[in-house]
Amino acid sequence: MKKYKVGLVGVGAVGTEMIKVLKEREFPLEGKVQVFASRERDEVILGETYHVLPATKDSFKGLDIVLFAGKTDVAIELKDAVVAAGAIMIDNSRAFRQDPNVPLVVPQVNAEDLDWNKGVIANPNCTTAIMLEAVAPLHKAKKLKRLIASTYQAASGAGAPGLEELETQMKEYVEGKELTVKAFQHQLTYNLIPHIDKFDETNWYTLEELKMRNEARKMLHAPDLMVSCTSVRVPIARAHSESLNLEFEEDITPEEVREILSKSEGVKVVDDPLNGGYPMPLDATAKYDVLAGRIRQDISRNDKKGIDIFVSGDQLLRGAALNAVEIAEHLIKRGLV
């Protein structure tokens, strides 16, 4: 089996998870992952020492694939250098998600878009990725017309500082101390914050909410899909949950939804509410699959075109690191690298 030289830019929570997934899935690596960051140093990642080199425009010669888990401006600055070196860039930032020349991909949703890549592939927003794992199979079967999403997003969505702040606040609360508030706009412990990313003052949606609309439209090849979203930060460590109201062009029943999703890669149906069987972030944490349940007909309608569903998925894993590695795997399967 051919082996591939892989680089990684960024060693935060997502970058660490990417290395973990590469190992777990026995990705055909040639040697160790070459890690790049802002400065040279030795870094212990998952119990193994990596010699981290500065990420520069000369860093990528000889590499086949470069995973980017760093900041948006770094991805923009280094994109051309990665392509010029003959490597393929898989970027987890928002830098290129809406670039018409860059495929935005979840392999279970739109792997075919990898075929027209020009050396750069974008990883979607983690919330969009988790949502579309469940929504895309239904859209392919019945054609989605409108989607209303309410999200319950974990602290890890704000990176390592967000996760650390939640843990710090919980300790401070128990000890009766004043709570540290830096990573979020307000205290997160014992609270909910309906504010993720900046507000668009033309419509008062946040950029996080608009990302979900724009990315869903691009990945489903549905430019006129009606989407409205409210994104809420919740005091959960690392799994996002979403309440979805779906309207389809055709009639669809809960039984059909369960049947479609039970056959869909990347989704696990957990829908036994009378016995406490429904998706929860605790159960989705550290799992590859998105959990889908609370599947029911929308009783606000006079037809059978509406479905309500609840999903949970690990933000760091399913929503980011795993998707990036699966993109790399599909590039190999499709003979694109």
Side-chain angles (χ1 to χ4, degrees):
M1 177 186 289
K2 181 179 176 181
K3 295 186 180 295
Y4 300 85
K5 294 182 179 179
V6 176
L8 168 66
V9 178
V11 289
V14 173
T16 298
E17 198 75 13
M18 285 177 175
I19 291 177
K20 181 180 178 182
V21 174
L22 288 167
K23 290 181 177 181
E24 285 180 349
R25 296 176 71 85
E26 298 182 345
F27 188 87
L29 291 169
E30 182 178 329
K32 289 174 66 173
V33 175
Q34 177 60 68
V35 182
F36 304 95
S38 58
R39 58 183 176 82
E40 185 172 0
R41 62 188 186 273
D42 285 337
E43 184 91 18
V44 178
I45 304 172
L46 302 172
E48 188 174 2
T49 300
Y50 290 78
H51 185 62
V52 180
L53 296 174
T56 72
K57 294 181 179 180
D58 298 319
S59 296
F60 310 111
K61 295 175 183 177
L63 296 178
D64 299 302
I65 297 169
V66 185
L67 306 174
F68 271 68
K71 296 180 179 179
T72 297
D73 56 349
V74 175
I76 293 171
E77 178 186 354
L78 297 177
K79 181 197 76 166
D80 291 343
V82 176
V83 176
I88 294 182
M89 175 184 194
I90 302 174
D91 180 42
N92 194 62
S93 81
R94 63 186 178 192
F96 311 111
R97 290 173 182 163
Q98 290 305 311
D99 187 327
N101 295 311
V102 175
L104 180 66
V105 175
V106 168
Q108 293 84 0
V109 175
N110 60 328
E112 67 279 3
D113 285 346
L114 294 172
D115 295 340
W116 54 268
N117 87 83
K118 298 179 176 64
V120 182
I121 299 156
N123 223 15
N125 178 280
C126 52
T127 322
T128 309
I130 290 167
M131 176 178 74
L132 291 188
E133 287 282 357
V135 169
L138 304 176
H139 171 65
K140 291 176 182 177
K142 297 288 185 173
K143 193 176 180 182
L144 187 63
K145 180 179 180 181
R146 186 172 186 236
L147 185 159
I148 299 175
S150 298
T151 73
Y152 311 90
Q153 297 182 217
S156 60
L163 186 55
E164 290 167 4
E165 182 159 303
L166 175 62
E167 294 172 348
T168 298
Q169 285 185 358
M170 293 175 71
K171 293 176 183 176
E172 291 170 338
Y173 187 91
V174 170
E175 295 170 358
K177 298 179 180 178
E178 183 177 352
L179 302 194
T180 300
V181 179
K182 293 181 180 179
F184 303 109
Q185 300 88 352
H186 302 280
Q187 169 187 328
L188 185 57
T189 297
Y190 287 100
N191 195 23
L192 303 175
I193 307 173
H195 178 187
I196 301 177
D197 212 324
K198 298 177 182 178
F199 283 99
D200 183 329
E201 296 186 22
T202 62
N203 55 32
W204 295 107
Y205 282 78
T206 66
L207 298 186
E208 179 80 3
E209 294 158 354
L210 296 175
K211 278 185 277 186
M212 289 187 69
R213 179 195 65 175
N214 297 336
E215 292 173 20
R217 286 175 169 179
K218 181 175 180 178
M219 294 170 66
L220 295 176
H221 305 288
D224 298 321
L225 179 65
M226 294 183 286
V227 180
S228 181
C229 177
T230 300
S231 294
V232 183
R233 186 75 69 195
V234 299
I236 296 294
R238 54 176 280 171
H240 288 351
S241 298
E242 308 176 32
S243 176
L244 307 174
N245 178 264
L246 309 174
E247 179 185 352
F248 294 89
E249 297 281 359
E250 304 175 39
D251 286 357
I252 185 169
T253 65
E255 292 74 23
E256 289 176 300
V257 172
R258 294 185 193 98
E259 181 179 2
I260 291 167
L261 294 184
S262 67
K263 298 176 181 177
S264 300
E265 183 184 358
V267 182
K268 180 181 179 181
V269 176
V270 182
D271 197 33
D272 186 15
L274 293 181
N275 293 302
Y278 27 71
M280 294 186 292
L282 185 64
D283 294 334
T285 297
K287 300 295 194 306
Y288 279 4
D289 288 342
V290 169
L291 308 183
R294 293 298 320 278
I295 300 166
R296 58 207 187 277
Q297 206 84 55
D298 178 356
I299 61 172
S300 72
R301 305 175 59 90
N302 295 320
D303 56 30
K304 291 188 176 181
K305 292 181 170 61
I307 288 289
D308 286 300
I309 185 171
F310 192 82
V311 301
S312 291
D314 189 302
Q315 177 268 328
L316 289 174
L317 182 58
R318 177 68 271 169
L322 175 60
N323 195 66
V325 174
E326 286 184 332
I327 287 172
E329 292 172 344
H330 278 260
L331 288 171
I332 294 171
K333 289 180 184 178
R334 302 176 85 90
L336 299 171
V337 61

